[in-house]
Amino acid sequence: AGLMITGSNSTVKGLVINRSGSGIWIDGPGATGNKVAGNYLGTDASGTQDLGNDASGVSVDGANNTIGGATAAERNVISGNDALGILFEDTGTGGNKVMGNYIGTDASGTKDLGNASHGVAIDDVPNNTIGGTTTGARNVISGNNGNGVSIFGNDGNKITGNYVGTDATGTKDLGNTYHGVYIDYGKDNTIGGTTAGERNVISGNNGNGVLIEGAGATGNKVTGNYVGTDKNGAAPLGNSSNGVYISGPNNTVGGTTAGGRNTISGNAGS
């Protein structure tokens, strides 16, 4: 790794890390409470050129760490890496936060500088949060050559307030190559929420906006999102396949209040 952290409560800020293995690797039972903010991971110092790390921009095998922050100064640009943008793995970890980052775009948030695979992958790690309820906490997860967000076999994760497949303005197509959000055998995960701040815009992706599949993919909720429109819910910015496709049991799309309503429009599929 360019930088490896096995301890707790460290801050990594203002670095450019490229052409390494993983850019930053947070690893081990003692790797908790660390913060990665304001870095360029996988790009040059201007944040416009691909100089990808050989693996992920950030790999996390630890609990309660934060990637990014709620201010522009805390934003990481995690792009151009030869594998994933961010990887969380190991069932013994969780409680991590990803907020305010550009993952798969250049530093302006308007140009494709995608990671070679998924933007964010959560592999058997429960109870993480991708995004937040404020504008500053919004991640732009776009232009990646896999899915925007992938959740494999874990539960209790929250994906809220993000732009997945659009540029930073929420009005232009910068789609991920596959699906916007993909859940495989994961349960009790939440995509969106009942307030405007929790709403994801999941649009412009080259597959489905949301794909939930597998016999164990149960109890997931898709609420309050714009799927296939711009950030205003008014102009089409469709995903190339379905808005939402579910093949697992007992999942929920929408809700009983106006805030839980998804707008699913403009998509090429059903």
Side-chain angles (χ1 to χ4, degrees):
L3 177 64
M4 188 168 188
I5 300 172
T6 60
S8 62
N9 301 314
S10 294
T11 298
V12 181
K13 187 175 182 180
L15 301 181
V16 178
I17 301 177
N18 54 47
R19 294 168 291 181
S20 183
S22 289
I24 296 174
W25 187 5
I26 300 172
D27 181 49
T32 65
N34 297 291
K35 187 168 185 177
V36 177
N39 304 284
Y40 287 174
L41 305 174
T43 77
D44 69 346
S46 72
T48 64
Q49 301 297 316
D50 181 338
L51 291 178
N53 295 290
D54 290 342
S56 302
V58 183
S59 296
V60 180
D61 180 359
N64 302 312
N65 299 284
T66 300
I67 312 302
T71 68
E74 294 173 303
R75 176 187 303 135
N76 298 291
V77 177
I78 306 173
S79 302
N81 296 289
D82 295 343
L84 303 154
I86 301 173
L87 171 64
F88 295 103
E89 58 183 346
D90 192 336
T91 55
T93 66
N96 299 289
K97 297 180 180 179
V98 177
M99 51 197 302
N101 304 288
Y102 288 171
I103 304 171
T105 78
D106 71 348
S108 72
T110 63
K111 295 182 179 179
D112 185 332
L113 201 63
N115 297 289
S117 185
H118 312 310
V120 179
I122 305 173
D123 189 359
D124 283 325
V125 183
N127 303 318
N128 302 284
T129 301
I130 310 300
T133 60
T134 66
T135 299
R138 174 190 303 131
N139 298 290
V140 177
I141 309 173
S142 302
N144 299 287
N145 294 313
N147 304 310
V149 179
S150 293
I151 297 175
F152 301 103
N154 48 78
D155 59 283
N157 295 287
K158 296 181 179 179
I159 303 169
T160 60
N162 304 288
Y163 289 172
V164 184
T166 79
D167 71 347
T169 70
T171 63
K172 295 182 179 180
D173 184 336
L174 206 63
N176 298 288
T177 299
Y178 296 150
H179 313 295
V181 178
Y182 175 58
I183 297 176
D184 181 18
Y185 281 82
K187 62 187 180 72
D188 300 325
N189 298 288
T190 300
I191 302 171
T194 58
T195 68
E198 294 173 303
R199 176 188 302 130
N200 298 289
V201 178
I202 307 172
S203 302
N205 298 288
N206 295 339
N208 300 288
V210 177
L211 174 60
I212 299 172
E213 65 178 358
T218 183
N220 299 289
K221 297 180 180 179
V222 182
T223 60
N225 303 286
Y226 289 168
V227 185
T229 77
D230 70 354
K231 68 175 182 180
N232 301 310
L237 200 63
N239 298 287
S240 295
S241 188
N242 305 290
V244 179
Y245 187 102
I246 298 176
S247 64
N250 301 314
N251 297 283
T252 300
V253 179
T256 59
T257 66
R261 177 189 303 128
N262 297 288
T263 298
I264 306 173
S265 301
N267 301 290
S270 57

